[in-house]
Amino acid sequence: MDTSKMIKAYCLKTKEKNVPMQDAVITRTAKGGYMAAGHDGKGNKMAAIMNEAKALQAIKDGVATKGF
């Protein structure tokens, strides 16, 4: 898979920035925002808040699944 299109987030456990998120699922928050949840490949859970355009593009590119 092309890692340049993958959603990148901060891993709280390892304190690493721009870690590619695997098995990302895009959900909507109560206020209408978009959030991606997944893991870093080592078992550490990750989450990222994003705008609508970036969330829908990630679904279109196939790097995330739609969870709403």
Side-chain angles (χ1 to χ4, degrees), residues 8-11 19-22 36-40 44-48:
K8 294 186 174 64
Y10 179 74
C11 184
V19 179
M21 186 182 294
Q22 298 179 2
H39 64 87
D40 66 352
N44 302 319
K45 292 182 182 179
M46 299 172 66

Side-chain angles (χ1 to χ4, degrees), residues 5-23:
K5 293 184 179 181
M6 292 182 77
I7 298 169
K8 294 186 174 64
Y10 179 74
C11 184
L12 292 170
K13 188 172 183 179
T14 61
K15 307 285 193 263
E16 293 179 70
K17 294 180 182 178
N18 296 322
V19 179
M21 186 182 294
Q22 298 179 2
D23 299 332

Side-chain angles (χ1 to χ4, degrees), residues 47-61:
I49 296 173
M50 58 185 59
N51 62 16
E52 180 180 14
K54 188 173 179 182
L56 296 178
Q57 186 65 39
I59 293 169
K60 183 180 172 187
D61 290 341

